[in-house]
Amino acid sequence: MNQLMGGVMAVLGIYRAFPLVHGSQGCANYVKNTLAKHFKEPVEIATTGFYEISAIYGASDIIESSIKNILENRDPDLIVTMTTGLSEIIGEDIQRELKRISENIHKDNNGTYLVGVSTLSYRGTHIDGYNNTLKEIIKTITEKNKEKNKKLEGNSLKSDKINIIPGFVNPGDVKEIKNILRKMNIGYRLLTDITTLDRPLRLPKERFPKCEATVRDIEESPNSKSTLSFGMEGIDGAKYLETLGVPSYNLKFPIGIENTNNFIKTLSNISGQEIPESLWEDRGYAIDAIVDGNDVLRNKRVAIFGDPDKVIGLTNFAFEMGMEVVAVLSNTETPHFISEIKKISMENNGKITIFEGGDLYQLHNYIKKRPVDIIIGDYRGRYIANEERIPLLRVGFPVVDRHGYHRKPMLGYNGALRIAEDIINLLIESSEDYEGLSIFKNYY
Amino acid sequence: MLYNTEENCNKNILVENRDTSKAREQHEIDTSSYCKYTQPGNSTERLCTFHGCRVVICNQIKNVIHLVHSPIGCAYYSWDYRSQSYGYGFTTDIQERDIIFDSEEKLYKAILKASEEFNPDAIFVYETCIPGLIGNDLQGITKKASEEIGIPVIYFDCAGFKGATQNEGHKIANRQLFKIIGSKKEEFHSTPYDVNVIGGFSSVKEAKIIEDMLSKIGIRVLCSFTDNATIDKIRVMDRAKINIVHCTKSSMYLAKMMYKEYGIPYIKGNFFGIENCSMTLRNIGKALNIDKDKVENFIIENLERIKEKLEFYRENLKGKRVFISHGAQRVLNYIDPLKNDLNMDIAGVATYFGNEKNYKEILKKIPKGTVVLDNPNSYELERAIVESDADVVISDNHIRYLVHKLGVPFVYGRGGKKSYVGFDGFINFADEVHGAINSKIWKLIN
């Protein structure tokens, strides 16, 4: 997916924030459509309505009228303008435009932050988009609040809270992270919280869906004790906060037992809180499920594809469960993907074929030659799964052809429990022989 | 922005969403005030020209490689936008270095590689915003590639920023596909009862139902353009006696071009709804000089079969208020069947792109005081649905979850798993509407 998708996910994860896509109507609507299908929730993404005339004469006027329109009709706390390939290629400087616009509409603007991000479509993927957008949001907001924050620093009013950047994940994952933090009794500031796209149906409809990440949280994020981020997703934001004096910890995604142990230990070290009994229980449940399914899981060949950092986590977890990972595919090129996978492979005496920045056609061709028992990835694996009659475990984003997958966690011990159970059941289903079960078999 | 308020409850108000105060004051309905361009900053349901060309028209053509000359996004989202896509999506994946150095060479290589690996009937190349802006010579490349690989390579100059809506893409697709019509030189056995059905873009299933229905009265469909089309079928479209235009908005151009070039007359046809369907069959019969009794018998036979069910739905749906949000043509097709065949009331209408003529026709069909929204943003749509007190909303999947969040039943207007065309199809549709309204869950929301 393109950078825009990641950018929009970052913006939608903040309460009362509004994404504005500076490009053709299709750019905004395609992203909106995919998000709506995955989350089964209404999504609003504004477009600047870029037509031929803007391509010729420049598009600064349509950004201005878009922002005015949004301020008038929606009155959000934050408007994030994201560019596309179309607006980038005509050479527009979004930061300069926004500076000019914010001076122009100074009077009408009731304290709404205007952020501009370059999310060009011809470089990077949704992971980079999330990373860049979140960094720009943090940078713009904290810069405006520099004075205020300095005063706080002077009064040594630094709070004990921890900034958490959950990454490009599902609402189920964010809930699981919150769950762990609450159980450990740690104060936190979520910098994005995509539970906005998993809301209960209660009338009347909310104007802005609720979540725990607010613009205020981002304003105050430099006062936190430290920042936690996972993999490449949001690392730039965490590094930026480091320049403001907030130490950052970059962990692997807490997928599987070991990685979650690590996450919880780090939390415990930073906050000085003990690991509570209830988390040990959760861990026990997950391990119990994996052990009980050991005869189904062991020696099964698995292919994994998706976002690089989640693939790293899932690969590690698959080995933990006794499975044999034979092929991994990352949709994004990152500096550490290949080395991390090789490291995991060495530790587990595995032999993994690695496709970096590749497509599913490569993976399909690989699977045709060397069959696997199960595929783990998003719903687009269904084309391979159907053709080769291999079960597919749907994880991550997007899963548009099933319901409720955005609520299923991948992170934490509960995520490990869910993934283990789902894999076990899929493997059992795929090996079941219903003909053999028929009691009438002999009579017909 | 409003409508349906007390002071103007006896007239239709066309809401033009860019100037909302005006609509309120208008004493006469101004159908020319439809909004051509989307107001900047709106969350619109409109899509781009590329979508109109690639997804709406071309995607259904089988055994063809749909190669999108774009950065990854355009290809990724459009590939299975509609669920009937099959196989792989193809893109040239334009990167920054390609823009600076050479994206034409990359496209050329991609065409050759795709043709070598998949052996398709033809390759369609779609231009998107970026090649459109940097000025790639698609015509030259496709011509060169076509000579090299010996199959048609057709380009569509459908950069997303061209035109105000996806409608522009329909025109481009029609224009380019028209070029391969009539290119079959071999002997072809044609009959006096050959027709084309133009402008069905929903699903193969729907096309097959229409083809089947027509074959019962002795008509052969050469090509259902494009829901059941292949390159071979499109090539022989010029041998038809008449064209039946299903969706006039998106394929009138093709029908007109074919009339001009090959002298094939066209009639408008609409297979949705009992009355519409009977009327269309009669018109086709007349145009092809088919025995009148044969057509009438077929219609009566079908009406007899569904009579009982239809009566049940007519009784149960009487007076229920329905809100329709679709493209202008589909709205027009749906108003009469809902009103006349199912006895329902129209609570409101919203379209993403209509022109003056469409709105005039719509206003004629709906009762006074009904709201008509032109290219609404999601907030306006939300208010319109709530304030029109609709019992059910019929629309595209775009707004399904918005409608659900308002606690209003929703029916997907294109059918999806079930098809809605033909006599039995309409019963499917009535069943869906009835089922949606009567699900108990809506009562439990509050």
Side-chain angles (χ1 to χ4, degrees), chain B residues 321-324 344 390-394 408-411 433 436-437:
Chain B
R321 294 172 64 76
V322 52
F323 190 102
I324 316 172
M344 295 175 86
D391 289 311
V392 63
V393 175
I394 295 173
V408 179
F410 175 90
V411 173
V433 176
I437 293 177

Side-chain angles (χ1 to χ4, degrees), chain B residues 298-309:
Chain B
F298 177 70
I299 294 170
I300 289 168
E301 202 179 281
N302 274 297
L303 287 180
E304 256 332 290
R305 193 177 67 241
I306 60 168
K307 201 172 123 195
E308 208 174 302
K309 282 182 183 165

Side-chain angles (χ1 to χ4, degrees), chain B residues 317 319-325 334-335 338-339 342-349 366 370-371 388-395 408-409 411 429 433 437:
Chain B
L317 292 175
K320 296 282 184 204
R321 294 172 64 76
V322 52
F323 190 102
I324 316 172
S325 166
Y334 278 28
I335 289 176
L338 286 166
K339 241 170 49 181
L342 289 181
N343 253 336
M344 295 175 86
D345 291 342
I346 307 295
V349 168
I366 58 174
T370 314
V371 44
S388 66
D389 199 19
D391 289 311
V392 63
V393 175
I394 295 173
S395 179
V408 179
V411 173
F429 177 74
V433 176
I437 293 177

Side-chain angles (χ1 to χ4, degrees), chain A residues 175-400:
Chain A
K175 278 182 191 163
E176 182 58 20
I177 291 175
K178 284 184 200 166
N179 200 3
I180 291 173
L181 290 162
R182 284 201 195 112
K183 277 182 179 169
M184 293 184 73
N185 210 3
I186 295 173
Y188 59 85
R189 287 192 179 98
L190 276 172
L191 300 192
T192 68
D193 177 2
I194 202 64
T195 48
T196 42
L197 293 182
D198 177 24
R199 298 294 303 152
L201 172 49
R202 296 174 74 183
L203 296 180
K205 180 176 167 289
E206 301 160 311
R207 184 125 194 227
F208 286 101
K210 285 206 178 64
C211 72
E212 286 187 25
T214 61
V215 172
R216 213 181 142 69
D217 281 320
I218 298 171
E219 281 172 2
E220 289 174 357
S221 58
N223 303 327
S224 296
K225 198 173 177 188
S226 51
T227 308
L228 259 184
S229 66
F230 305 118
M232 291 300 292
E233 305 181 14
I235 189 166
D236 284 355
K239 275 187 185 154
Y240 180 77
L241 282 171
E242 211 161 35
T243 63
L244 301 179
V246 186
S248 74
Y249 297 82
N250 187 252
L251 302 178
K252 283 182 190 164
F253 267 106
I255 298 172
I257 306 298
E258 271 175 10
N259 286 336
T260 310
N261 289 350
N262 207 352
F263 171 60
I264 288 170
K265 263 184 217 154
T266 312
L267 279 177
S268 171
N269 286 342
I270 300 171
S271 66
Q273 300 278 9
E274 292 277 305
I275 300 170
E277 182 59 25
S278 56
L279 279 178
W280 289 111
E281 291 251 305
D282 284 350
R283 185 175 186 272
Y285 282 123
I287 290 181
D288 185 56
I290 298 166
V291 168
D292 290 345
N294 183 257
D295 60 334
V296 185
L297 289 168
R298 63 188 168 220
N299 302 332
K300 290 289 187 300
R301 291 160 58 84
V302 51
I304 303 172
F305 70 92
D307 305 338
D309 290 300
K310 283 150 214 160
V311 170
I312 291 170
L314 285 166
T315 307
N316 201 21
F317 185 36
F319 279 119
E320 281 172 10
M321 289 190 286
M323 303 174 86
E324 189 194 342
V325 182
V326 292
V328 294
L329 184 146
S330 144
N331 52 27
T332 308
E333 288 177 22
T334 59
H336 60 267
F337 179 71
I338 292 180
S339 58
E340 283 288 343
I341 293 286
K342 276 188 179 156
K343 208 174 115 199
I344 296 169
S345 177
M346 288 252 285
E347 279 168 12
N348 296 286
N349 297 325
K351 210 179 163 203
I352 305 179
T353 310
I354 304 170
F355 302 98
E356 198 196 20
D359 61 14
L360 290 176
Y361 181 60
Q362 290 172 318
L363 189 67
H364 194 173
N365 280 348
Y366 174 88
I367 290 172
K368 268 184 191 158
K369 281 182 213 136
R370 301 174 197 78
V372 295
D373 296 303
I374 189 164
I375 305 170
I376 302 177
D378 65 57
Y379 87 104
R380 282 173 205 249
R382 70 179 176 177
Y383 296 99
I384 306 175
N386 284 347
E387 205 167 313
E388 308 299 326
R389 308 236 155 242
I390 300 167
L392 166 73
L393 174 71
R394 288 170 172 78
V395 294
F397 177 91
V399 181
V400 306

Side-chain angles (χ1 to χ4, degrees), chain A residues 11-36:
Chain A
V11 180
L12 290 176
I14 298 168
Y15 182 55
R16 291 180 65 84
F18 209 87
L20 169 65
V21 174
H22 183 34
S24 176
Q25 293 164 124
C27 303
N29 217 330
Y30 274 146
V31 171
K32 182 158 86 174
N33 183 57
T34 308
L35 287 169

Side-chain angles (χ1 to χ4, degrees), chain A residues 1-2 24-25 29-30 32-33 40-41 44-45 47 51-52 66 69 89 123 205 361 364 379-380, chain B residues 37-38 40-46 51 76-77 79-81 88 96 117 133 160 164 378 401 405:
Chain A
M1 284 168 281
N2 53 0
S24 176
Q25 293 164 124
N29 217 330
Y30 274 146
K32 182 158 86 174
N33 183 57
K40 319 276 190 271
E41 289 281 322
E44 272 187 75
I45 302 171
T47 172
Y51 299 115
E52 267 162 327
S66 299
N69 180 1
I89 216 158
R123 192 197 300 154
K205 180 176 167 289
Y361 181 60
H364 194 173
Y379 87 104
R380 282 173 205 249
Chain B
Y37 294 108
T38 304
N42 268 359
S43 177
T44 173
E45 299 302 335
R46 281 182 179 175
H51 176 88
Y76 185 95
Y77 302 120
W79 163 41
D80 63 352
Y81 187 90
Y88 302 103
E96 205 160 18
E117 293 222 2
L133 275 176
S378 40
Y401 304 107
K405 271 279 179 290

Side-chain angles (χ1 to χ4, degrees), chain B residues 57 166-176 250 253 257:
Chain B
I57 308 243
Q166 54 258 59
N167 200 21
E168 189 65 29
H170 304 155
K171 283 186 201 168
I172 292 164
N174 281 328
R175 194 180 65 219
Q176 294 300 85
S250 52
Y253 325 106
M257 277 189 284

